[in-house]
Amino acid sequence: MPAPSRILLSPPDVGPLEREALLRAFDSGWIAPVGPEIGAFEEEIAARLGGEVEVAALQSGSAALLLALRLLGVGRGDRVLVPSLTFVASANAVLQLGAEPVFLDSEDDTWNVDPGALAEALDHGGDFRAVITVDLYGQCADYDRLLPLCRERGIPVVQDAAEALGAFHQGEPAGLQGDLAVFSFNGNKITTTAGGGALVSRNGDWIRRARKWATQAREPAAHYQHEEMGYNFRLSNLLAALGRAQLARLDDMIAARRDHRRAYGQALADLPGLSPMPEGVTGTPNFWLTALLLDPREAAASPEEVRQALEREDIETRPLWKPLHLQPLFAGAECRGGAVCERVFARGLCLPSGSAMTADDRDRVIAALRRVLEG
Ligand SMILES: *Cc1c(COP(=O)(O)O)cnc(C)c1O
């Protein structure tokens, strides 16, 4: 029998449809960051969100975050609130503009930013130019509680929905809650363009401005005329074609990941000290990654012991995002609270969740987890 192949956390799920789309774009001759696939991709993302938004397709979610903050006027000396439990890109955009991130703790119910910590910071923490929320692992933050706090004070919200394409908040597509929202199409996200991202807003003027900045802020003149600083951030036409093929399969990919979540939950429910990530408090997630918490008083192994045991069987698992206030990059940065995100990080583990993972591979993961956690 051949050795079983490695099971990855969240590899790209691409096949003949994506190949065809790429070749269609290639054969059209539009091998550039301009071409018909880009506009079509933007329209299809907008349609997926219900049609009331404008979309700019970009080279990354990180680029989208940078443009979002710049649109809000974030610059040198400004302070921006950011959840601590997130990927570093959420806060790097703040640094890139010369501003300062101030970190917020998570709440247990969603692992997303704690509305209580946000209220406390807004009331007693000084002035803030913007708030970044993150929809962690494909589950929306508690916008019913977060948004009124920001609106009352006139502070704009950038929704980092990089991990949450296809999720819902109380029946409304993720990406419509913030004043601006960001998606990522990186290789490990629920849909991929190899690398890519999108900036979304109901404010079409903002998105048109972002598109201009993303093409070196070129003015509409035949010669190269520039009045503002720009970037080379536009998505390529080839990758937009790939993104369209992925978007057409998004519902199936969410269904596959939901199935993994359910199967892990059922197969591991009896293990001592193990609890699933919270779910469904704010709407329907897209099930991007399934994660577990291991209670050190009851579980037979620590998350790191489980990770190493599965690694020996060629199965990739990962800790949760390390809270940013614990990262050397942000040493000295302010953090309001932090106990919840530190605890979740210490106990959590993300499991293989890719939409192309077969039921047999999932059974292999479950068997390996049971071996190490049955004690
Ligand atoms: C992936 C990710 C990003 C960055 O997106 P890229 O496309 O990789 O630049 C930002 N925020 C979060 C929460 C992410 O998971």
Side-chain angles (χ1 to χ4, degrees):
M1 242 174 50
S5 57
R6 181 163 173 79
I7 300 175
L8 295 167
L9 193 75
S10 182
D13 174 3
V14 294
L17 266 175
E18 285 77 8
R19 193 169 186 278
E20 244 169 64
L22 260 177
L23 292 175
R24 174 187 73 224
F26 183 88
D27 293 339
S28 77
W30 291 96
I31 302 165
V34 289
E37 303 285 348
I38 300 172
F41 187 37
E42 290 174 340
E43 276 169 30
E44 287 165 12
I45 295 168
R48 173 86 209 188
L49 300 184
E52 287 166 31
V53 287
E54 288 274 338
V55 178
L58 302 165
Q59 283 173 7
S60 67
S62 303
L65 277 165
L66 181 67
L67 293 178
L69 293 178
R70 188 172 156 197
L71 281 164
L72 297 175
V74 172
R76 205 155 291 284
D78 287 330
R79 297 159 79 233
V80 176
L81 287 161
V82 186
S84 186
L85 189 65
T86 182
F87 182 49
V88 69
S90 309
N92 270 342
V94 178
L95 293 187
Q96 285 156 8
L97 288 164
E100 181 192 331
V102 173
F103 295 110
L104 294 172
D105 202 359
S106 300
E107 58 167 357
D108 279 306
D109 284 355
T110 64
W111 296 356
N112 287 313
V113 62
D114 175 10
L118 176 66
E120 194 272 332
L122 292 173
D123 284 340
H124 306 292
D127 291 333
F128 298 98
R129 190 62 181 237
V131 173
I132 297 177
T133 60
V134 177
D135 301 329
L136 208 67
Y137 302 125
Q139 165 150 272
C140 282
D142 189 352
Y143 292 105
D144 287 343
R145 292 170 63 210
L146 296 169
L147 294 181
L149 294 170
C150 298
R151 298 231 163 100
E152 277 162 22
R153 295 162 178 87
I155 299 182
V157 174
V158 173
Q159 178 180 10
D160 181 350
E163 304 173 359
L165 182 68
F168 288 87
H169 176 266
Q170 312 296 16
E172 190 181 62
L176 299 182
Q177 290 71 40
D179 295 290
L180 291 140
V182 164
F183 294 112
S184 167
F185 309 116
N186 205 340
N188 60 349
K189 296 295 185 342
I190 193 156
T191 53
T192 182
T193 59
L199 180 65
V200 173
S201 180
R202 288 194 168 93
N203 183 334
D205 290 340
W206 275 347
I207 298 303
R208 282 183 283 281
R209 199 142 181 234
R211 285 198 198 106
K212 180 185 162 194
W213 285 346
T215 44
Q216 300 290 13
R218 191 175 162 188
E219 300 294 333
H223 61 276
Y224 289 85
Q225 175 80 9
H226 302 278
E227 295 166 10
E228 297 179 283
M229 179 187 75
Y231 315 85
N232 178 7
F233 277 174
R234 218 46 177 129
L235 188 68
S236 101
N237 191 62
L238 295 183
L239 299 182
L242 175 53
R244 293 178 69 194
Q246 286 269 284
L247 203 56
R249 294 179 50 226
L250 176 58
D251 288 328
D252 289 342
M253 296 197 281
I254 292 172
R257 288 182 191 253
R258 186 199 306 122
D259 197 43
H260 297 326
R261 176 83 57 96
R262 187 195 47 76
Y264 283 132
Q266 281 176 3
L268 305 172
D270 62 310
L271 293 172
L274 188 150
S275 54
M277 67 192 287
E279 179 186 310
V281 189
T282 58
T284 318
N286 70 358
F287 306 94
W288 176 52
L289 292 185
T290 289
L292 313 166
L293 290 184
L294 297 169
D295 184 336
R297 289 161 305 191
E298 296 174 42
S302 70
E304 181 55 17
E305 287 164 347
V306 175
R307 191 187 72 76
Q308 288 180 13
L310 267 66
E311 190 56 49
R312 286 192 287 276
E313 303 196 32
D314 235 353
I315 297 168
E316 182 187 31
T317 60
R318 284 281 178 96
L320 307 195
W321 301 126
K322 178 175 174 175
L324 295 181
H325 74 275
L326 302 178
Q327 296 282 4
L329 172 62
F330 298 108
E334 200 181 320
C335 183
R336 320 282 304 183
V340 175
C341 65
E342 287 178 23
R343 188 178 68 241
V344 167
F345 170 64
R347 298 183 177 193
L349 193 69
C350 296
L351 304 181
S353 307
S355 47
M357 179 169 66
T358 63
D360 282 351
D361 278 349
R362 189 175 65 208
D363 287 344
R364 224 178 99 199
V365 180
I366 289 168
L369 285 167
R370 290 200 67 90
R371 274 193 290 280
V372 54
L373 285 167
E374 259 165 356

